[in-house]
Amino acid sequence: MIPPAVVLAASFGYLLLLFLIAAHADRRAAQGRSLIDNPGVYALSWGVYCTAWTYFGSVGRAASGGVWFLPIYLGPMLAMLLAWIVLRKMVRIARTYRVTSIADFIASRYGKSPALAALVTLITVVGIVPYIALQLKAVAAGYQVMTGAEAAGAAAWWTDKTLFVALTLAAFAIAFGTRHLDLAERHEGMVAAIAFESAVKLGAFLAVGAFVTWGLFDGFGDIWHRARAVPELGALLRLDRGGGGFGHAQWFALTLLSMLSVLLLPRQFQVMVVECVDERHIRRAAWLFPLYLLLINIFVLPIAIGGLLLPGNGSADAETFVLSLPLGHGAPALALLAYVGGLSAITGMLVVETVAVSTMVCNDLVMPALLRLGVLGAPRGSDLTRVLLSIRRGAIVGVLMLGYLYYRVAGEAYALVSIGLISFAAVAQFAPALLGGIYWRDGTRAGAFGGLIAGFALWTYTLMLPSLAKSGWIGGDFLARGPFGIALLAPERLFGLTGLDNLTHSLFWSLGVNVALYVGLSLARAPSAREASQALLFVDVFRRGGAEPVFWRGRARLDDLRALATRFIGPERAGAIFADYAAELGVPPAELRPDARLVDRVERRIAGAVGTASARVMVASVTREEPLSVEDVLEILDQASQLRAYAHALEEKSRSLETATAELRAANEQLLSLDHLKDDFMSSVTHELRTPLTSIRALSELMLDDPEMEAEQRGEFLGIIVSESERLTRLVNQVLDLAKIEAGHGEWHNASVDLRALILDAARGVAELFRERGAELVLDLPASVPPLWADPDRLTQVMLNLLSNAAKFVPAEKGRVEVTLAEEGGNLVVSVRDNGPGVPPAERASVFEKFRQGGDAASRPPGTGLGLPISRRIVDHFGGTMWLDSEPGQGACFAFRLPLAPATGPGGKENGHEGADRR
Amino acid sequence: MTGGRGPGARVLVALCAAGFALFNFPLLVVWDRPGTILGLPPLPVALFAIWAGLIAALALASERGGGRDDGE
């Protein structure tokens, strides 16, 4: 046993630590450096799923039912597999429409119905308050085990430590759960404290598990080995409970139930949906959370079986094994840690659940009542923010005290022990309306009402009432024989349905009828305009881009809206709404017009503070609304989608304009460079024309001035004039030739060409030139090659050009030019290799350009500089390529390749290649 | 429906269906037998192993998606 003072000091010291953590997190949030903005903390905060019912209860259930404690944690695993789909949609909807609780969510979906919100709140309170009582009971039980004190029930209430714990938690919830008027804003401090508590309870439980497994026993294998000797313990590890085979219906029901609960319990909705910082965190948290559950469950069976194996323990004490095993085996410090871990599980659940439930109570029960009574209804009243905060704080204390009262009254009763699953079954009733509502457009308010009321009624009759009867609060006769002796109506065998345990039986009837009525009533009557519009907003939440439809028509006054917003969320935030909207529209705040979008925005902001249903009523009270028909809703939706389509088309158009502009710019640049080339060409041509002209003119003038010139001299001059004139003619012919080819007007007389014979002819044609230069011409030709379809005169022109070029550049008397012809993969390749100086790398790219002659101007042999460009264009024309291989000092090798079998006929090819040339 | 770069919706639904099948009758009965796996009872070992396998599959599907997601 540990002295009560130590336990109390540890308890309140721990609570103080939570205050400090929460205060620190709130301060960090205010500085914009959020502590909770990461998936790890987000996932840890989901750990609030594990309450005292897990921390102490799992071991208890494992000790009596073996593996049957597990489905409660397997369900969340299955739910988390779909979290990215379902939970993310819930978060997006809640964020977009500033939904702050489950009641708000369901009410908002079905046309912002205040009655539906109140119904959901009522079901939650009835279902959850006993669960809160269960947690408070665990505080007392834990304290009792730790200190060996007398049962808490015996003490007077004013000395009851549990009451003080409850009050401290109320203070915590008030301090960190009602920070903001706008509940859609996150409670960073609270979430940080909850995440910390999740870490503590996991650590403490693992420590106890390790202590039992390796401290008291010799590992998992040892525990199991010893358990096999005891038949009852061996049975714990089988699915079969007490004969009758595997109750797979119950196993399935438990899995399904916990799968739904992990999304629908008020505290889970609070931490998962309302407190979500960034929906992208769901991606990682969705697998971290099941991992957390796996870890916290891994030692449950070893602790339960180990505890039962040790002398002096029965399964009745198993719920406190986590505390009693370390305490009874010489590890009081570990026991204290385990106690703090248990306290973490309890306080975390109590704080979040209380904040969540009190929000619903305030927004969906108290506020509508006050509105109806006219207390808050006056259009221009005083600032209501303080009133709102007080209501919310009162609701927190109220909910906790209700739980405490239930605990004091129920005490040890059965109602408390089984309440965990009973609560799960209560919140599972929200599943059809909530999950159906976000995926099924045709779900209506009537369907949700019918399903919820019937489901709740059946839950009460088949699960809640029997549990009260078993506690002895009401007579148990009707359980066995049915009310008024009507056996068919017996709560646990409704309409004679037997063979199921009471939980599965209740779940079958309540959820079954719930779904049937939800679907049936939804299909029976068409939804109202507001239901239809909300359905569209919820179901298609991911489909909306910027152009979100606003289903509101009417007239409003800016002053009224401003006054309304100020009353509910305070002057600063209210002012910000209008200023932001004015800034978005780009108009001065004074000229702001109260259009539908602004009204919608104000309503959403107020909804964050008082709930969507109340916000709707308040906005309706200060504006003159036109009632919408379903046709109007469709029309608005149509407009919105048209707007979206226009925006889309506009985007498309501007994109294609951009592309066209880029293309035009590129074309323009190409034109400019072509223009530049043309100028270059013109100046080159005129330059080349001027040189011979100058010499002709100079010689002619000389002869004109001197009639007595000697005949010999005159003859020499005339010879030069003739040769210069020939050069001029050749130049003009080549320019014309090139221009024709480039313009696509070249004359082509195609025929079958034997390239070997053509090369031999060309070689004969230049033989004299080679002889003059003292150069050697070597031909390396195969015996025969396939014929080409080309213009033989043009190809001869190419060959002559290459050969005469080579002859010009080879060194005098030692020149050697090799011509080779080869067939390579459908092409004929001709190369002309000389042993001249070669082409320097810098000039290699430009040798095929017009008027670019090799070598420097002083030493190069005479030529027009058009031979190679023309040759290349001729080769191009026949679908071939011409290139140059050259190493400086190693000579140059001009080569070209011509395809043997052109893809198209000679005529078609001509046009195609001219087109390619011009490009 | 999801789009973006989160885990694919079809993968998740398939995993969930597989989870339901593995965690329920009749597949669960396969493990409900006497004897031991590594000195431990088969049923709890199988349950925890399937559980860990599903977590690993979900983690793989989630983390492989990488990058951000803007909704649809």
Side-chain angles (χ1 to χ4, degrees):
Chain A
M1 298 302 131
I2 294 176
V6 176
V7 177
L8 281 180
S11 308
F12 286 95
Y14 180 69
L15 291 177
L16 186 67
L17 180 65
L18 288 187
F19 271 90
L20 293 178
I21 290 172
H24 176 62
D26 265 349
R27 210 167 37 241
R28 286 281 298 259
Q31 293 165 356
R33 295 182 301 148
S34 174
L35 273 181
I36 66 168
D37 185 13
N38 72 72
V41 173
Y42 186 44
L44 271 181
S45 73
W46 296 4
V48 74
Y49 182 73
C50 299
T51 63
W53 196 57
T54 297
Y55 196 84
F56 299 117
S58 278
V59 177
R61 266 170 291 134
S64 60
V67 291
W68 280 79
F69 77 97
L70 267 179
I72 303 298
Y73 306 97
L74 301 181
M77 169 77 251
L78 297 178
M80 285 304 112
L81 287 170
L82 299 179
W84 183 250
I85 305 171
V86 179
L87 182 59
R88 194 165 61 102
K89 189 161 192 180
M90 288 165 67
V91 168
R92 177 71 68 91
I93 291 170
R95 177 68 48 83
T96 311
Y97 306 111
R98 294 187 100 78
V99 167
T100 55
S101 67
I102 288 206
D104 220 8
F105 196 99
I106 294 177
S108 178
R109 161 65 181 80
Y110 298 102
K112 303 184 179 175
S113 153
L116 201 51
L119 176 65
V120 172
T121 305
L122 205 67
I123 296 176
T124 309
V125 170
V126 173
I128 294 300
V129 163
Y131 201 8
I132 290 176
L134 173 72
Q135 305 298 315
L136 290 171
K137 176 175 184 268
V139 175
Y143 180 75
Q144 208 178 313
V145 170
M146 292 298 284
T147 61
E150 78 278 28
W157 65 268
W158 59 86
T159 61
D160 187 359
K161 317 290 180 299
T162 313
L163 177 62
F164 293 113
V165 169
L167 287 176
T168 312
L169 291 177
F172 184 91
I174 286 171
F176 297 103
T178 57
R179 278 255 136 149
H180 317 291
L181 296 157
D182 187 348
L183 277 169
E185 282 165 32
R186 291 179 299 277
H187 309 102
E188 299 232 346
M190 182 181 85
V191 174
I194 296 309
F196 173 74
E197 294 203 291
S198 289
V200 168
K201 68 190 175 204
L202 177 63
F205 199 87
L206 289 179
V208 174
F211 171 75
V212 172
T213 309
W214 288 287
L216 302 182
F217 292 89
D218 197 13
F220 293 113
D222 181 43
I223 295 177
W224 169 236
H225 185 71
R226 289 210 238 164
R228 285 171 80 179
V230 188
E232 309 90 76
L233 292 187
L236 288 181
L237 300 169
R238 302 293 294 272
L239 290 168
D240 183 358
R241 290 203 293 190
F246 174 29
H248 49 79
Q250 188 185 359
W251 184 278
F252 177 80
L254 284 171
T255 316
L256 182 70
L257 192 57
S258 55
M259 187 178 171
L260 296 176
S261 304
V262 81
L263 293 172
L264 301 176
L265 280 166
R267 64 174 185 279
Q268 295 302 121
F269 189 88
Q270 182 79 28
V271 292
M272 286 176 161
V273 179
V274 181
E275 307 288 351
C276 179
V277 180
D278 183 338
E279 66 180 37
R280 280 171 285 163
H281 291 343
I282 294 172
R283 194 160 54 92
R284 184 161 294 166
W287 64 268
L288 285 176
F289 174 58
L291 186 64
Y292 179 93
L293 293 181
L294 185 140
L295 289 176
I296 208 166
N297 276 299
I298 215 155
F299 284 114
V300 168
L301 277 172
I303 293 176
I305 297 179
L308 292 175
L309 281 170
L310 293 170
N313 289 326
S315 65
D317 315 317
E319 291 214 339
T320 53
F321 274 175
V322 177
L323 300 177
S324 61
L325 290 184
L327 204 58
H329 293 86
L334 183 62
L336 201 60
L337 175 67
Y339 178 75
V340 169
L343 202 59
S344 293
I346 295 163
T347 53
M349 181 278 186
L350 284 177
V351 167
V352 183
E353 201 88 273
T354 312
V355 167
V357 174
S358 70
T359 304
M360 293 194 217
V361 170
C362 167
N363 287 354
D364 302 317
L365 286 181
V366 180
M367 285 295 297
L370 292 180
L371 286 176
R372 186 146 298 200
L373 290 174
V375 181
L376 304 175
R380 280 167 194 272
S382 57
D383 188 347
L384 286 177
T385 53
R386 298 176 79 74
V387 181
L388 266 174
L389 273 182
S390 307
I391 295 176
R392 207 165 288 150
R393 287 171 182 159
I396 287 176
V397 177
V399 169
L400 264 175
M401 287 305 108
L402 210 58
Y404 180 70
L405 197 68
Y406 194 94
Y407 148 69
R408 290 291 292 197
V409 174
E412 293 294 319
Y414 167 88
L416 226 45
V417 179
S418 56
I419 197 65
L421 286 175
I422 295 180
S423 287
F424 277 26
V427 296
Q429 303 306 324
F430 302 147
L434 194 150
L435 298 178
I438 62 176
Y439 287 106
W440 189 42
R441 239 171 264 184
D442 298 331
T444 66
R445 197 167 66 100
F449 250 115
L452 277 174
I453 289 176
F456 180 57
L458 278 164
W459 169 82
T460 310
Y461 186 65
T462 57
L463 207 57
M464 194 67 189
L465 277 187
S467 92
L468 293 181
K470 285 171 192 168
S471 312
W473 291 1
I474 49 178
D477 277 359
F478 74 101
L479 278 189
R481 283 184 270 121
F484 316 113
I486 308 172
L488 271 185
L489 294 182
E492 295 188 329
R493 291 186 308 280
L494 200 56
F495 306 121
L497 183 71
T498 54
L500 295 174
D501 64 287
N502 58 355
L503 180 75
T504 313
H505 171 267
S506 169
L507 204 63
F508 171 77
W509 281 117
S510 59
L511 262 189
V513 173
N514 187 337
V515 170
L517 279 180
Y518 174 65
V519 175
L521 289 178
S522 292
L523 293 179
R525 234 186 48 204
S528 73
R530 191 158 290 287
E531 289 167 64
S533 63
Q534 288 299 103
L536 288 168
L537 292 179
F538 270 52
V539 174
D540 295 338
V541 69
F542 281 122
R543 254 179 241 165
R544 311 242 167 272
E548 195 176 311
V550 175
F551 298 103
W552 190 87
R553 274 180 192 171
R555 275 184 299 162
R557 289 182 48 219
L558 199 61
D559 289 346
D560 292 342
L561 284 176
R562 198 187 293 274
L564 186 71
T566 308
R567 286 177 72 204
F568 284 97
I569 58 175
E572 281 168 38
R573 286 155 197 269
I577 302 177
F578 295 91
D580 289 350
Y581 190 63
E584 269 172 47
L585 293 184
V587 298
E591 290 171 27
L592 197 60
R593 289 167 49 82
D595 57 6
R597 207 161 277 282
L598 180 63
V599 172
D600 182 60
R601 197 172 287 204
V602 170
E603 183 178 329
R604 280 195 210 174
R605 286 306 297 265
I606 298 176
V610 299
T612 42
S614 302
R616 181 83 282 282
V617 176
M618 294 315 303
V619 168
S621 74
V622 299
T623 55
R624 290 172 63 187
E625 302 187 345
E626 294 168 18
L628 289 181
S629 68
V630 175
E631 285 74 36
D632 294 332
V633 168
L634 292 178
E635 191 186 322
I636 291 173
L637 192 72
D638 212 35
Q639 284 168 359
S641 60
Q642 266 177 19
L643 212 60
R644 209 158 50 235
Y646 284 144
H648 190 69
L650 214 60
E651 244 171 59
E652 199 86 320
K653 205 155 268 178
S654 94
R655 242 200 309 278
S656 62
L657 265 179
E658 251 168 52
T659 324
T661 313
E663 276 172 11
L664 276 177
R665 189 175 297 127
N668 190 35
E669 269 163 25
Q670 205 183 349
L671 276 179
L672 281 178
S673 96
L674 282 177
D675 190 44
H676 194 65
L677 276 180
K678 190 202 74 190
D679 288 348
D680 281 357
F681 181 69
M682 286 310 291
S683 80
S684 304
V685 167
T686 39
H687 179 78
E688 295 293 331
L689 289 175
R690 200 172 56 187
T691 320
L693 270 180
T694 311
S695 88
I696 289 171
R697 183 175 155 208
L699 295 175
S700 311
E701 275 172 1
L702 275 176
M703 288 191 285
L704 193 64
D705 290 349
D706 183 7
E708 274 100 59
M709 189 179 280
E710 287 170 27
E712 194 181 334
Q713 178 90 34
R714 189 182 294 266
E716 189 186 334
F717 278 13
L718 283 172
I720 295 177
I721 287 174
V722 168
S723 99
E724 288 297 293
S725 306
E726 278 171 354
R727 189 173 151 203
L728 257 182
T729 313
R730 200 163 59 237
L731 187 67
V732 170
N733 279 343
Q734 282 190 338
V735 169
L736 281 175
D737 203 16
L738 188 66
K740 268 188 195 165
I741 295 178
E742 286 198 331
H745 300 313
E747 285 172 20
W748 308 88
H749 304 286
N750 288 355
S752 184
V753 180
D754 180 0
L755 203 54
R756 182 175 184 278
L758 190 141
I759 292 172
L760 286 174
D761 281 347
R764 269 195 291 281
V766 292
E768 180 62 18
L769 182 65
F770 274 73
R771 203 180 46 75
E772 277 173 19
R773 297 276 299 164
E776 184 190 4
L777 179 61
V778 182
L779 299 180
D780 176 12
L781 309 176
S784 72
V785 289
L788 279 171
W789 185 258
D791 183 338
D793 293 343
R794 291 292 189 182
L795 289 186
T796 307
Q797 190 184 346
V798 172
M799 274 319 294
L800 288 176
N801 180 261
L802 292 182
L803 289 172
S804 57
N805 261 353
K808 273 183 231 163
F809 284 96
V810 291
E813 306 305 326
K814 285 181 295 187
R816 176 186 164 87
V817 175
E818 280 175 32
V819 178
T820 58
L821 169 64
E823 188 184 349
E824 281 178 13
N827 293 302
L828 290 181
V829 180
V830 178
S831 65
V832 178
R833 180 182 298 278
D834 63 49
N835 61 345
V839 183
E843 291 176 19
R844 228 170 275 164
S846 59
V847 290
F848 293 110
E849 288 175 21
K850 298 159 202 161
F851 302 108
R852 298 296 177 94
Q853 299 186 46
D856 55 277
S859 65
R860 72 179 170 217
T864 56
L866 286 174
L868 278 174
I870 289 175
S871 298
R872 183 181 219 184
R873 278 187 169 66
I874 291 170
V875 171
D876 281 350
H877 177 82
F878 294 119
T881 47
M882 177 178 265
W883 69 96
L884 161 69
D885 290 322
S886 176
E887 294 291 325
Q890 304 281 315
C893 175
F894 285 91
F896 63 91
R897 173 189 293 126
L898 287 170
L900 274 175
T904 53
K909 195 168 60 112
E910 192 161 317
N911 296 333
H913 279 282
E914 290 312 326
D917 276 346
R918 262 174 290 164
R919 222 179 337 193
Chain B
M1 186 212 76
T2 51
R5 264 182 288 171
R10 272 170 291 185
V11 175
L12 294 181
V13 171
L15 272 178
C16 187
F20 251 109
L22 289 169
F23 277 150
N24 272 292
F25 182 82
L27 278 179
L28 214 49
V29 180
V30 171
W31 308 102
D32 187 24
R33 62 172 83 184
T36 57
I37 297 175
L38 302 172
L40 295 171
L43 181 62
V45 170
L47 280 170
F48 277 97
I50 295 169
W51 193 350
L54 283 176
I55 293 173
L58 178 58
L60 202 69
S62 303
E63 301 300 322
R64 204 181 39 189
R68 33 184 259 101
D69 185 288
D70 296 322
E72 244 185 7

